[in-house]
Amino acid sequence: MKESMSLLANTQPEARPEIFWTLDNSWVLTKRSLKHIIRNIDQLLSTFLMPVMFLLLFRYVFGGAINTGDTSYVNFLVAGILVQTAAFGANTTTFSVLVDLQRGIVDRFRALPMASSALLAAHVIADLVRNTISALIMLVASFLVGFRPTADLSEWLLVLGLLLLFTLAISWVSAILGMVVKSLEAAQWSGFMVLMPLTFASSAFVPTASMPTVLRVFAENQPVTHVIEAMRAWMVGTPIGNSGWLALFWCTGIIVIAMPVATWIFRSRTSDPRPG
């Protein structure tokens, strides 16, 4: 009896604050998600090559027909491609969450003493890592095709910080989509239905002044345009206006709303009675 009690005590989780176990569980599952990224060559190629293809397409096919004033088109374009890369890359979170739900992975995890919110956090963090690598590859390619920024170190840090914040915001929205849709096909089109209007009806590829009035009003006041305008101003010195503060407001607001909503939907779908 004494030996049994001793064995039971040794298998009990160590008494630590709940936040410690939530972070520990998230880190373990993040490593799982990162291994999936490395082993999925098709996903790697699409994630890293697609932004470069968009860069080459707009730089050499459409760029000569677009007037961007005193700023060269390639300098105008790079901020938009970086934000588009983060937005479309976050769509991978939708697929990952949906696959885990459909293949019963979540049910297996529920049998373990782990925080239910750790799985969503792991997918979002892995998405952040993948998009950071994509952005670095895209920046290297942009230098090769003539991008010449004027940013100093502090401005580059602002660009990086805002890009990571935007990626976090869009990844939590993508996690919600992954729990709402019912199939991989729906996950694909729902992501494009959300992201296409936000990225193309913005100042990513053309100045908003050339758009019809209704479209221009939408483009100039939606969050993606403010993120692009702020990053463009820090990188190549274009006027920033209020875009810096508005970009921070939009990204923070989306995270504050989307994170608890995603966690609530996840708990509702998995009927997990445990806290966390």
Side-chain angles (χ1 to χ4, degrees):
M1 182 66 178
K2 186 179 294 184
E3 292 179 354
S4 300
M5 293 297 292
S6 177
L7 180 61
L8 181 62
N10 290 334
T11 57
Q12 293 299 315
E14 187 177 350
R16 291 190 174 181
E18 185 176 307
I19 184 64
F20 171 84
W21 292 115
T22 300
L23 294 175
D24 184 72
N25 297 161
S26 300
W27 170 238
V28 172
L29 292 177
T30 298
K31 289 191 288 185
R32 164 184 173 265
S33 298
L34 291 175
K35 287 179 181 177
H36 285 178
I37 294 173
I38 295 172
R39 292 171 181 173
N40 192 335
I41 300 300
D42 293 338
Q43 186 186 89
L44 275 179
L45 290 176
S46 64
T47 302
F48 296 153
L49 292 183
M50 187 176 291
V52 176
M53 291 178 64
F54 268 102
L55 174 69
L56 298 177
L57 175 67
F58 278 90
R59 170 73 173 90
Y60 292 112
V61 178
F62 301 125
I66 300 173
N67 182 10
T68 54
D70 296 333
T71 305
S72 68
Y73 185 70
V74 65
N75 281 351
F76 178 91
L77 176 65
V78 169
I81 294 286
L82 279 173
V83 173
Q84 186 202 42
T85 300
F88 281 90
N91 199 37
T92 307
T93 301
T94 304
F95 289 94
S96 302
V97 172
L98 177 64
V99 167
D100 277 352
L101 287 169
Q102 288 188 336
R103 293 183 178 176
I105 301 298
V106 175
D107 293 331
R108 296 185 183 182
F109 286 153
R110 285 180 57 199
L112 302 174
M114 57 176 285
S116 59
S117 58
L119 183 65
L120 290 179
H123 283 308
V124 170
I125 295 171
D127 195 27
L128 201 63
V129 174
R130 180 177 51 248
N131 279 334
T132 301
I133 298 173
S134 295
L136 291 175
I137 293 174
M138 219 292 297
L139 274 177
V140 171
S142 68
F143 277 101
L144 295 177
V145 298
F147 178 55
R148 297 295 179 264
T150 58
D152 57 24
L153 178 60
S154 62
E155 289 169 325
W156 276 115
L157 291 176
L158 287 172
V159 169
L160 177 63
L162 182 56
L163 187 62
L164 292 177
L165 193 65
F166 174 75
T167 303
L168 270 180
I170 204 72
S171 294
W172 280 110
V173 174
S174 298
I176 293 175
L177 290 177
M179 291 180 286
V180 172
V181 299
K182 303 298 183 185
S183 66
L184 292 177
E185 291 79 9
Q188 187 172 19
W189 70 255
S190 64
F192 279 101
M193 285 290 289
V194 173
L195 297 175
M196 287 284 282
L198 290 176
T199 53
F200 283 91
S202 71
S203 64
F205 305 109
V206 298
T208 55
S210 63
M211 299 177 182
T213 303
V214 174
L215 184 59
R216 178 170 55 80
V217 171
F218 170 77
E220 290 179 348
N221 293 283
Q222 56 118 330
V224 171
T225 292
H226 290 303
V227 174
I228 292 170
E229 290 295 326
M231 291 175 55
R232 183 178 289 143
W234 290 327
M235 287 195 292
V236 298
T238 55
I240 189 170
N242 294 320
S243 291
W245 294 110
L246 289 173
L248 182 63
F249 169 79
W250 272 109
C251 293
T252 305
I254 291 172
I255 292 172
V256 168
I257 295 173
M259 186 185 297
V261 169
T263 305
W264 177 78
I265 295 175
F266 183 79
R267 289 175 178 168
S268 299
R269 282 208 57 180
T270 58
S271 300
D272 192 340
R274 291 168 300 183

